[in-house]
Amino acid sequence: MSKEFTVRTMGPNELDITLGWAKAEGWNPGWGDREPFLAADVGGFLMGFLGEEPVTAVSVVRYGESFGFLGFYICRPDQRGKGYGWRTWQAGLTRLEGRTIGLDGVVAQQANYARSGFGLAHRNIRFGGRPDLDSLRDPGIVEIGPGLFDAVSAYDRGCFPAGRTAFLRAWLDGQGGRRSLALVENGEVRGFGTIRPAVSGYKIGPLFADGENEADRLFAALAAGAERDIVFLDCPEPNATALALAARHGLTPAFETARMYRGSAPSLPLSRIFGITSFELG
């Protein structure tokens, strides 16, 4: 008897399975990603099952009333070519129906995404390397605590297509090895960023800042905490200043994705986006 294929919402343990698949694909997830990812949208992670056996995954996280982000689109290698991935993809798009949808997909799949109505906005380049930085005291750099959350959340809203308060509360809580810093001058937040341990090295994301100087100061403070381990930063290619920052600190291109949207592409200040938060959640 053939097993029935079904798609349903993941539970926390099933998201762990997906993170393991992402590791196997070389996507380098963060070790503590599960809790903040689920906080973003607990119903936003779908898994396809052949009988009771997990074989596919996709994340389709809703932000606000009109935006969503698609990621974690994976079919287990031994089950590819059987249509299970496509059926999971369709279920994901149905969950985000009526919204502008963003994704960061591998460049080789651009044509396939275009057939589902996605248009290219820009490339993101993942840079990696071992910056030689010391933990020098910068009086403008502060740890993000509860008293700074509202100001940081407001800054984030200027760099992301929708509010994501629940996600940020979990992302900035200092758990899972994450460390989050803000640059504050004259009582105003001028940028912020997070560094977290990943399967390989550390990942910085987001890195949002008013300009080159502010981003450089934040990057230096964050990367110094990696103790000369490899650090990764995912830069939107149109931000030439971000690419220059990565090169200046000895980071070299390691991977790239195509940022694509279905629906009206949001107008984002790419000049302030030096590192995106994650390829999975935008």
Side-chain angles (χ1 to χ4, degrees):
M1 176 184 288
S2 62
K3 297 179 181 178
E4 182 183 6
F5 178 78
T6 57
V7 179
R8 62 176 184 262
T9 304
M10 292 183 205
N13 292 336
E14 290 159 345
L15 182 52
D16 284 341
I17 293 171
T18 304
L19 288 164
W21 290 349
K23 175 183 175 182
E25 293 287 335
W27 295 355
N28 199 28
W31 286 117
D33 285 353
R34 182 179 77 169
E35 283 71 20
F37 280 16
L38 287 172
D41 180 359
V42 71
F45 299 85
L46 307 182
M47 180 164 272
F49 293 84
L50 196 56
E52 293 301 313
E53 183 182 3
V55 295
T56 64
V58 71
S59 61
V60 278
V61 170
R62 295 170 175 169
Y63 294 106
E65 298 298 321
S66 58
F67 185 66
F69 203 87
L70 186 151
F72 275 131
Y73 181 41
I74 306 173
C75 183
R76 217 173 66 190
D78 63 307
Q79 297 294 336
R80 290 174 183 170
K82 301 177 182 181
Y84 301 139
W86 175 248
R87 290 168 66 181
T88 306
W89 170 267
Q90 291 297 108
L93 291 185
T94 297
R95 187 174 194 271
L96 297 180
E97 189 67 36
R99 296 168 178 259
T100 290
I101 307 171
L103 64 79
D104 284 320
V106 295
V107 174
Q109 293 295 321
Q110 276 188 59
N112 289 334
Y113 298 140
R115 283 192 281 273
S116 291
F118 286 83
L120 178 67
H122 57 81
R123 294 193 305 164
N124 291 314
I125 311 296
R126 170 165 292 171
F127 289 87
R130 288 180 168 82
D132 185 9
L133 294 163
D134 295 316
S135 298
L136 299 176
R137 172 66 178 161
D138 183 330
I141 302 291
V142 297
E143 300 275 353
I144 298 175
L148 201 55
F149 178 81
D150 288 346
V152 169
S153 181
Y155 195 97
D156 182 81
R157 183 64 184 87
C159 299
F160 196 76
R164 48 178 181 174
T165 303
F167 167 76
L168 283 175
R169 286 197 186 281
W171 195 250
L172 304 177
D173 67 3
Q175 302 300 307
R178 291 181 301 277
R179 185 179 185 223
S180 299
L181 303 174
L183 174 60
V184 181
E185 293 184 326
N186 299 319
E188 298 289 333
V189 171
R190 303 298 184 188
F192 79 97
T194 297
I195 187 168
R196 72 195 198 277
V199 172
S200 173
Y202 289 79
K203 299 171 82 170
I204 291 178
L207 180 57
F208 298 157
D210 285 359
E212 180 177 12
N213 174 265
E214 293 85 356
D216 200 88
R217 291 165 64 187
L218 280 163
F219 178 88
L222 291 164
E227 299 180 343
R228 293 178 172 79
D229 199 349
I230 191 167
V231 170
F232 295 97
L233 180 69
D234 300 330
C235 305
E237 188 183 40
N239 186 346
T241 306
L243 308 190
L245 180 150
R248 186 165 59 252
H249 288 288
L251 277 58
T252 57
F255 184 65
E256 66 181 78
T257 66
R259 169 61 63 92
M260 306 180 76
Y261 294 101
R262 188 171 87 161
S264 299
S267 177
L268 296 176
L270 294 182
S271 64
R272 288 198 285 147
I273 300 174
F274 288 79
I276 68 167
T277 307
S278 83
F279 287 154
E280 294 81 24
L281 269 66

